[in-house]
Amino acid sequence: MPMSYAALISGMLTLIATPPNLVVSDELVAQGYQPLGLFSFFLIGALVLLVAVVFILFWGRHRLRSVTDTQEEDLATTGTTLAGMWRSFDLHVQSEILVVAKKVPAEDVAELIGDESNIVIRLRSGAKGKFIPAMFRNGMELLRGDRVFVRGPEESLKTLAQRPEFSERIDPANKIDTWIDEIGFSDVLVHPESPLIGRAVSNGLGVEAKDVEVVALVRDGEPVEDITGTTLQSGDRVLIVGPWDALDRAVKRHDSLVLLSFPQERQSIPPAASGFWAAIIIMAGMIAATLFELVSITAAVLTAAVAAVVFRTLSAEDAYRAVKLPSLVLIAGMLPLADALQVTGGSDLIVEQLLHLVGDASPRAVMSAIFVLTALLGLVLSNMASAVLVAPIAISAAEALRISPYPVALCVLIATSASFSTPISTPVVTLVVAPGGYSFSDFLKLGVPLTILTGIAAVAIAPILFPY
């Protein structure tokens, strides 16, 4: 829960952290005011973050029920780890990592390994003590210090490890981090009408999966020890290994293979680690262009998105998928409603009732009312819809009071990210319900007080950043 709350609060730090911020800024521009800057409300977000950390550490965490040992065990074993895959396929006793003691020419590797075993992955020492993984292919030699991931019957592996060409045996489970970033595993099922049925495992999975290799097989619930001469049958569970992009291509063959699971470890793998520094430079350039007002924030963000594709930190397909079409449709549908409220006088009526409710109180009372209105709408609408609806009302209320619209607009902006009170108000919160074993009441216990504290921080700091 603290993690999800931190993700929500991150939307209060910069203008581009969450789409509702841009909606509020664009509404200011539409009403004839200057847009918000990239860090215009950073201090409010930083204060809310500090308040949230203190609140959860010293009060909030003590209000959450304790998870029982049984629940903790269930949560810990949810999903499939790579170690779990190996156990289910008996690969923990049918595979080894062997350290090469002396050079083995390419023509001698086959004779060294024999017919029962095969080298799947070669790990060669690289810079800074790291090992560079590669799928082993015929014609590759072995050098002193190389590590090879070998698959085969248990007795065959014991005999192989005693050869003078190898100096050490290593449990593969202890060295998964040496290759998991580039080469992974996948548990798949052979489709009943698959063209792979009858194909020998040693012949691979066809042209579309040429970089993928079968390392283990379960048939009728029992692991098959010697897969070298085995042919694939309908319903076979197969553990395949290869580069992640090759695995993705292989499991997309719905006429041949059915994906059962990837290991949990894949979730922690950067999808494009090689583009890390390019992404950092692009992000820094976008922030600098915005801070020094070289271009508008919209132009800076779009330029950064194009640069990310050009420099291959992500593919054009990934960039396209990152565009949330449902959000665009939602905004397109809510904008006419917001315009209708203004054209028909609905916004003026809401403002009049709001001012009547607070009477002759200070502008901070109006800001508080706007915050509460936005937060309540956020319980039943998305934060995007809430921003679209309330932003024009907030600006109109500020104009009616003849004060700057910026502090009132900031209350809308902060309130859209303060969806702490229910597990259904935003997907950011919903995602942690099952893993954390939370109930609806848990979010009420922490979310309601934290929302109130956030509102107090917004109402207190906004007029300091943007005086009336």
Side-chain angles (χ1 to χ4, degrees), residues 1-14 17-18 21 41-56 413-414 416-420 428-429 450-451 454:
M1 189 182 293
M3 180 180 64
S4 66
Y5 284 178
L8 287 173
I9 295 172
S10 70
M12 307 177 192
L13 297 175
T14 67
T18 183
N21 297 353
F41 44 90
F42 179 84
L43 288 179
I44 301 177
L47 177 60
V48 172
L49 180 60
L50 177 62
V51 169
V53 170
V54 174
F55 169 76
I56 291 174
L413 183 148
I414 298 299
T416 58
S417 292
S419 303
F420 307 123
V428 175
V429 177
L450 187 56
T451 301
T454 301

Side-chain angles (χ1 to χ4, degrees), residues 273-353:
S274 60
F276 172 77
W277 287 111
I280 291 295
I281 293 171
I282 292 170
M283 177 66 74
M286 180 193 72
I287 294 175
T290 303
L291 285 177
F292 295 106
E293 298 182 352
L294 301 178
V295 294
S296 68
I297 189 167
T298 303
V301 171
L302 288 176
T303 302
V306 173
V309 175
V310 171
F311 289 98
R312 298 183 179 180
T313 61
L314 79 168
S315 65
E317 292 78 11
D318 290 336
Y320 177 78
R321 284 194 294 268
V323 178
K324 306 300 183 183
L325 294 181
S327 297
L328 295 179
V329 174
L330 176 64
I331 296 174
M334 297 304 294
L335 285 175
L337 177 58
D339 290 341
L341 284 174
Q342 290 202 329
V343 172
T344 61
S347 294
D348 295 335
L349 179 61
I350 295 174
V351 170
E352 289 177 7
Q353 294 300 317

Side-chain angles (χ1 to χ4, degrees), residues 126-138:
K128 298 180 179 179
K130 294 184 177 180
F131 286 87
I132 302 172
M135 297 295 292
F136 191 82
R137 295 289 178 259
N138 291 332

Side-chain angles (χ1 to χ4, degrees), residues 26-27 42 57 87 137 139 153 247-249 374 407 423 439:
D26 289 344
E27 185 60 32
F42 179 84
L57 279 179
R87 285 193 297 270
R137 295 289 178 259
L247 289 178
D248 288 335
R249 289 194 301 270
T374 308
S439 65

Side-chain angles (χ1 to χ4, degrees), residues 434-466:
Y438 298 118
S439 65
F440 196 96
S441 62
D442 290 330
F443 288 91
L444 292 177
K445 293 174 184 176
L446 266 65
V448 173
L450 187 56
T451 301
I452 295 173
L453 292 174
T454 301
I456 293 173
V459 173
I461 303 298
I464 298 176
L465 297 178
F466 294 93

Side-chain angles (χ1 to χ4, degrees), residues 4-311:
S4 66
Y5 284 178
L8 287 173
I9 295 172
S10 70
M12 307 177 192
L13 297 175
T14 67
L15 183 62
I16 59 174
T18 183
N21 297 353
L22 295 172
V23 170
V24 174
S25 181
D26 289 344
E27 185 60 32
L28 285 168
V29 174
Q31 298 288 349
Y33 299 96
Q34 291 296 314
L36 294 170
L38 184 63
F39 295 103
S40 292
F41 44 90
F42 179 84
L43 288 179
I44 301 177
L47 177 60
V48 172
L49 180 60
L50 177 62
V51 169
V53 170
V54 174
F55 169 76
I56 291 174
L57 279 179
F58 294 100
W59 193 88
R61 66 192 183 101
H62 300 294
R63 297 298 175 270
L64 295 176
R65 59 191 176 87
S66 299
V67 181
T68 64
D69 295 339
T70 302
Q71 288 174 314
E72 289 179 346
E73 181 179 354
D74 290 343
L75 293 174
T77 57
T78 298
T80 304
T81 63
L82 187 54
M85 283 185 173
W86 281 343
R87 285 193 297 270
S88 64
F89 283 91
D90 259 4
L91 200 59
H92 62 297
V93 296
Q94 298 178 20
S95 65
E96 295 278 4
I97 291 182
L98 302 178
V99 180
V100 180
K102 59 182 180 180
K103 179 179 178 179
V104 181
E107 59 270 18
D108 296 336
V109 172
E111 181 181 353
L112 169 66
I113 300 300
D115 296 332
E116 293 184 329
S117 304
N118 67 299
I119 300 177
V120 181
I121 301 171
R122 184 193 67 186
L123 303 167
R124 177 155 291 174
S125 180
K128 298 180 179 179
K130 294 184 177 180
F131 286 87
I132 302 172
M135 297 295 292
F136 191 82
R137 295 289 178 259
N138 291 332
M140 285 186 175
E141 64 178 0
L142 300 180
L143 301 180
R144 185 175 184 273
D146 283 353
R147 299 181 177 186
V148 289
F149 175 63
V150 186
R151 191 263 181 248
E154 185 176 7
E155 293 301 321
S156 176
L157 292 178
K158 289 181 179 179
T159 303
L160 186 62
Q162 295 172 357
R163 295 285 300 262
E165 289 85 355
F166 300 109
S167 62
E168 185 181 357
R169 298 170 62 181
I170 301 174
D171 182 1
N174 295 332
K175 291 295 179 181
I176 184 62
D177 57 337
T178 58
W179 73 70
I180 195 65
D181 283 354
E182 300 180 35
I183 294 177
F185 293 77
S186 178
D187 185 359
V188 297
L189 186 74
V190 178
H191 193 281
E193 298 180 2
S194 172
L196 299 177
I197 295 175
R199 177 191 290 268
V201 169
S202 57
N203 291 337
L205 299 178
V207 176
E208 295 181 19
K210 60 181 180 180
D211 295 325
V212 173
E213 187 170 333
V214 176
V215 292
L217 187 149
V218 169
R219 177 172 294 165
D220 298 327
E222 295 294 332
V224 177
E225 182 175 0
D226 184 9
I227 64 171
T228 306
T230 305
T231 58
L232 296 174
Q233 296 181 10
S234 172
D236 283 349
R237 275 184 60 202
V238 179
L239 188 66
I240 56 178
V241 60
W244 288 112
D245 56 346
L247 289 178
D248 288 335
R249 289 194 301 270
V251 300
K252 287 179 180 178
R253 299 177 59 191
H254 300 302
D255 63 328
S256 302
L257 302 171
V258 178
L259 174 63
L260 297 180
S261 65
F262 281 119
Q264 282 184 349
E265 286 83 355
R266 186 175 186 179
Q267 298 175 4
S268 61
I269 299 171
S274 60
F276 172 77
W277 287 111
I280 291 295
I281 293 171
I282 292 170
M283 177 66 74
M286 180 193 72
I287 294 175
T290 303
L291 285 177
F292 295 106
E293 298 182 352
L294 301 178
V295 294
S296 68
I297 189 167
T298 303
V301 171
L302 288 176
T303 302
V306 173
V309 175
V310 171
F311 289 98

